Amino acid sequence: MKVELTIDRTKELPKGAIPALEKELLKRLGNQYENCSLSIRRAGSDGLSVLGGDKEDKKKIETILQETWESADDWFY
């Protein structure tokens, strides 16, 4: 399965946020899914694509992403 996450380029993010997010999100996704790859990039808008998964997988990944983002104080600093 391949997960592609885009983050709006106009959003202000702390230096090093994207690599840190990628590392933490890969760890959390790896706990749920084998052979999961992750791509994070800046784009014109926020978005999430899940290739090779079903609708339930996308919902689970959205939840994992939300929990990861909300717990940034625990893993980013």
Side-chain angles (χ1 to χ4, degrees), residues 47-60:
L48 175 66
S49 298
V50 179
L51 307 169
D54 58 26
K55 286 184 180 182
E56 286 301 313
D57 289 328
K58 186 170 182 180
K59 287 183 180 188
K60 286 181 186 177

Side-chain angles (χ1 to χ4, degrees), residues 8-67:
D8 188 338
R9 70 174 64 93
T10 61
K11 287 186 177 176
E12 294 284 329
L13 295 176
K15 188 173 179 87
I18 291 180
L21 175 62
E22 184 173 15
K23 180 180 176 185
E24 182 65 21
L25 196 51
L26 262 176
K27 181 174 80 172
R28 292 179 186 219
L29 289 172
N31 290 338
Q32 299 277 332
Y33 301 99
E34 277 187 38
N35 303 324
C36 182
S37 67
L38 174 64
S39 170
I40 300 177
R41 62 185 174 84
R42 300 301 292 260
S45 63
D46 292 336
L48 175 66
S49 298
V50 179
L51 307 169
D54 58 26
K55 286 184 180 182
E56 286 301 313
D57 289 328
K58 186 170 182 180
K59 287 183 180 188
K60 286 181 186 177
I61 291 169
E62 286 174 349
T63 301
I64 292 169
L65 175 60
Q66 184 70 29
E67 290 170 354

